[in-house]
């Protein structure tokens, strides 16, 4: 980089502090914003409430630490243009800024007579109008004229770090731009034409220094397309490779077990269930390993679908494993499976962290001989001594709660077993394509008949008594209620205390006439079991719980779900919790108590009042909280796009996916597109490396 004109060794060293080592780094160091100096405003024209840029001369600059609060340092700059003057302030919190040296250095950056751009929100203050904590940037030094500088054009704003100024990055980018003459576009022109994409060189010029906002938009669109396209290409190529291995068990879609099962099934499958089952059976008949994700709302009936797949494996002489994220859920599955498997005269066992050693040994032995065809369990399933004789199918429930590695380890228990993953937490389409772009996805988008809407209401903290009245009324009619408290992962102890305290309060002072149960993550498995059993048998009418109740607990007689501090949960998680009620014939209620007065939090919660559609809810959740939050903390894997946004750029993502599919269809090796292949390799190691493409 130090070869660039006017960028010597010292400047290169500074740029390195931003992670910029090569010309390519620099060219792809996209601005985080642009300031449109063409639309700058005169000081006289300022109106409160608008976000503006003014360009003016520094008349005076002052920097001091407030005597009242000696941790707050204020930089005051008096600016003047032809029309008037304005005093602006920037605030710096922290003791490091209180030093004399720091204050002096700051004043030196804005010497009298220098020309600066200030960008920010105009606010009314005691002393007249001001800009609230504006972006402040030196455009020129005393003696320069404003016209000679950036005025009248759109200027890039780069993410900076201390000691690396905006001037330096701009200068370096300007110096690097001519190198793009050697740059060949990695996308063939036919593809560019088809999707109306700006040529690469042009896009790079325009993303940094666009002549106008149309060009900026077109440049951004092209570069966003690239980010999505190469991710999809990598994912699809990987999927293609997996499909080329032809070593998986061939599992028959018809047979005795499946026939018998359809006879004992007490209900008719929904159309959606039948469609998804067909998709799965179709995969299982092929020697290429299935890798399918079934998304379906809470209660859409995913378990039966999984059982059909399992029976297909068993009737073809293979074993199957079903893994769930919690003991509660694993036990629920086990219970349901036992009832069906007894009728089919098939053995099934449960393996969790609390399975006794003798039982554990027996299970291990029976798996190795093949005597045991189906094992249900938690993470215990992937622990070492578990060896299957002929594992043909792996089913993972609530897959988003497992990491990539845990899923892989279960797969390694067999030779290329088919993999069926299930989730009741649908995620938005853009997110699904990004993190599951290499899976086949099936949707169960229909609920079994007769399900009622759950009446959902957001309540403020002081309306808690309304909630308690409703609970009392429902219990008087023989129903039951959940009270759920948030679990903040950082402080499990604190949560534990809050659950225990809440339980005490409800039992002793609010509902002394009822039995109140308690369920939380720190209880032993036997204690949990007991709490759930008592609630199921209506020995306790109210169950106070942390979010361990979120998945699996199935008590149709419960009709009220009261969630405390609902604003602390994601919408999808609230939707999951809500799914614990409305499982029987009676009308059910979900009450979301919020202690937050923020209107954002309120608005977010109201989404649940309006919708019962898991897909819609997750979409809204992503809009409010961003893609990473929607997935929760357990699953990483949203790549760090530089420009692309999963919220704003859905249209481009869909096109990029289409384009990538077409390319893979024509030639998955990419041999005929050398530049594209190289680009994929380059990006593969950076953006997509690690979590996504392991
Ligand atoms: P989830 O998709 O949340 O895992 P489950 O598989 O637990 O849902 O099913 C929820 C409930 O609906 C269960 O009690 C199940 O037996 C029942 N069920 C599943 N499919 C049907 C159907 N087609 N008709 C009626 N009830 C069904
Ligand atoms: Mg389920």
């Amino acid at each position: 980089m130090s070869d660039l004109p006017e960028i010597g060794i010292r400047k290169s060293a500074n740029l390195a502090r931003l992670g910029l080592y090569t010309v390519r780094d620099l060219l792809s160091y996209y601005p985080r914003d642009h300031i449109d100096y063409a639309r700058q405003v005169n000081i006289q024209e300022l109106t409160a409430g608008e976000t503006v840029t003014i360009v003016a001369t520094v008349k005076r600059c002052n920097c001091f630490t407030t005597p009242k609060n000696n941790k707050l340092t204020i930089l005051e700059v008096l600016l003047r243009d032809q029309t008037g003057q304005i005093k602006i302030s920037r605030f710096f919190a922290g003791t490091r800024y209180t030093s004399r040296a720091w204050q002096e250095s700051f004043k030196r950056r804005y010497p009298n007579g220098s020309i600066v751009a200030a960008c920010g929100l105009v606010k009314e203050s005691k002393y007249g109008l001001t800009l609230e904590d504006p972006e402040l940037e030196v455009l020129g030094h005393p003696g320069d004229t404003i016209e000679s500088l950036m005025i009248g054009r759109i200027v890039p704003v780069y993410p900076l770090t201390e000691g690396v100024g905006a001037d330096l990055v701009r200068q370096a980018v300007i110096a690097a731009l001519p190198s793009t003459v050697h740059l060949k576009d990695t996308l063939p022109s036919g593809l560019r034409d088809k999707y109306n994409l700006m040529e690469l060189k042009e896009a790079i010029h325009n993303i940094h220094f666009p002549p106008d906002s149309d060009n900026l938009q077109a440049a951004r669109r092209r570069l966003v397309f690239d980010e999505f396209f190469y991710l999809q290409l990598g994912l699809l190529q990987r999927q293609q490779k997996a499909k080329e291995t032809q070593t998986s068990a061939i599992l028959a879609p018809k047979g005795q077990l499946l026939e018998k099962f359809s006879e004992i099934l007490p209900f008719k499958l929904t159309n959606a269930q039948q469609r998804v089952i067909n998709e799965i059976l179709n995969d299982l008949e092929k020697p290429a390993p299935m890798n399918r994700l079934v998304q379906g709302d809470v209660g859409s009936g995913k378990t039966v679908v999984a059982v059909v797949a399992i029976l297909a494996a068993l009737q073809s002489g293979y074993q199957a494993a079903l893994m769930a994220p919690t003991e509660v859920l694993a036990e629920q599955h086990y219970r349901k499976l036992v009832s069906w498997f007894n009728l089919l005269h098939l053995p099934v066992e449960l393996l969790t962290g609390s399975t006794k050693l003798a039982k554990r040994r027996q299970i291990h032995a029976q798996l190795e001989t093949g005597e045991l065809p189906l094992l249900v369990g938690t993470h215990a399933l992937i622990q070492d001594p578990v060896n299957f004789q002929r594992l043909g199918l792996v089913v993972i429930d609530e897959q988003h709660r497992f990491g990539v590695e845990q899923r892989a380890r279960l797969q390694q228990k067999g030779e290329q077993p088919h993999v069926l993953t299930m989730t009741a937490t649908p995620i938005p389409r853009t997110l699904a394509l990004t993190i599951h772009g290499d899976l086949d996805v099936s949707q169960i988008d229909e609920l079994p008949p007769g399900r009622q809407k759950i009446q959902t209401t957001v309540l403020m903290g002081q309306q808690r008594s309304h909630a308690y009245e409703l609970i009392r009324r429902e219990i008087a009619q023989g129903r039951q209620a959940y009270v759920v408290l948030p679990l903040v992962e950082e402080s499990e102890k604190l949560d534990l205390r809050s659950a225990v305290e809440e339980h005490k309060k409800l039992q002793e002072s609010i509902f002394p006439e009822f039995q109140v149960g308690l369920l939380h993550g720190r209880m032993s498995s036997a204690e949990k079991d007991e709490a759930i059993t008592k609630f199921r048998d209506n020995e306790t009418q109210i169950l106070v719980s942390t979010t361990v109740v979120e998945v699996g607990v199935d008590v149709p007689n419960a009709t009220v779900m009261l969630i405390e501090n609902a604003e602390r949960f994601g919408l999808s998680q609230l939707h999951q919790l809500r799914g614990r009620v409305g499982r029987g014939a009676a009308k059910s209620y979900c009450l979301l108590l919020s202690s937050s007065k923020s209107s954002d939090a309120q608005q977010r919660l109201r989404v649940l009042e309006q919708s019962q559609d898991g897909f819609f809810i997750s979409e809204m959740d992503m809009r409010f909280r961003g893609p990473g939050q929607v997935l929760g903390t357990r699953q990483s894997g949203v790549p760090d796009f530089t420009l692309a946004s999963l919220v704003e750029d859905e249209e481009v993502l869909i096109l990029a996916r289409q384009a990538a599919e077409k390319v893979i269809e024509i030639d998955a090796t990419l041999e005929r597109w050398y530049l594209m292949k190289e680009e994929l390799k380059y990006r593969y190691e950076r953006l997509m490396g690690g979590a996504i493409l392991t």
Side-chain angles (χ1 to χ4, degrees), residues 377-388:
T378 54
H379 303 76
L381 279 186
I382 50 181
Q383 262 123 44
D384 271 325
V386 181
N387 285 316
F388 291 80

Side-chain angles (χ1 to χ4, degrees), residues 267-270 273 297-304 336 448 451:
F267 45 73
K268 190 170 166 297
L269 294 174
T270 62
Q273 283 172 318
D297 234 323
V298 201
S300 60
K302 292 182 292 296
T303 318
V304 193
K336 190 160 263 174
R451 295 279 159 79

Side-chain angles (χ1 to χ4, degrees), residues 302-303 329 333 397-398 422 424:
K302 292 182 292 296
T303 318
L329 189 53
H333 279 314
D397 198 14
E398 300 302 334
M422 305 196 289

Side-chain angles (χ1 to χ4, degrees), residues 343-398:
L343 297 172
L344 299 169
H345 309 293
L346 288 170
V348 49
E349 293 286 359
L350 176 69
L351 184 69
T352 69
S354 41
T355 305
K356 295 274 179 315
L357 188 63
K359 183 76 189 171
R360 198 175 272 268
R361 288 217 175 104
Q362 182 203 332
I363 291 175
H364 290 165
Q366 290 182 344
L367 283 174
E368 276 181 47
T369 60
E371 215 176 315
L372 182 62
L374 173 62
L375 181 61
V376 179
T378 54
H379 303 76
L381 279 186
I382 50 181
Q383 262 123 44
D384 271 325
V386 181
N387 285 316
F388 291 80
Q389 189 221 10
R390 286 181 99 197
L391 182 61
L393 171 72
V394 163
V395 182
I396 302 176
D397 198 14
E398 300 302 334

Side-chain angles (χ1 to χ4, degrees), residues 163-232:
V164 187
D167 289 351
L168 172 60
V169 180
R170 268 181 217 142
Q171 187 195 7
V173 169
I174 290 171
L177 279 172
S179 331
T180 54
V181 291
H182 307 299
L183 200 66
K184 298 210 180 64
D185 201 316
T186 61
L187 299 182
S189 61
L191 195 156
R192 283 193 328 255
D193 289 348
K194 178 158 183 209
Y195 295 100
N196 194 15
L197 299 169
M198 189 181 255
E199 200 268 332
L200 182 61
K201 231 177 282 181
E202 209 186 328
I204 290 178
H205 276 269
N206 279 295
I207 196 75
H208 291 286
F209 290 97
D212 54 43
S213 69
D214 285 352
N215 273 286
L216 174 60
Q217 283 322 309
R220 187 179 175 281
R221 183 170 180 279
R222 159 63 203 256
L223 297 170
V224 165
F225 184 94
D226 276 13
E227 288 191 62
F228 284 145
F229 175 77
Y230 283 104
L231 176 62
Q232 293 303 321

Side-chain angles (χ1 to χ4, degrees), residues 509-522:
S509 4
I510 314 275
F511 298 113
E513 71 272 41
F514 304 131
Q515 293 302 314
V516 183
L518 174 63
L519 179 67
H520 60 73
R522 287 288 185 89

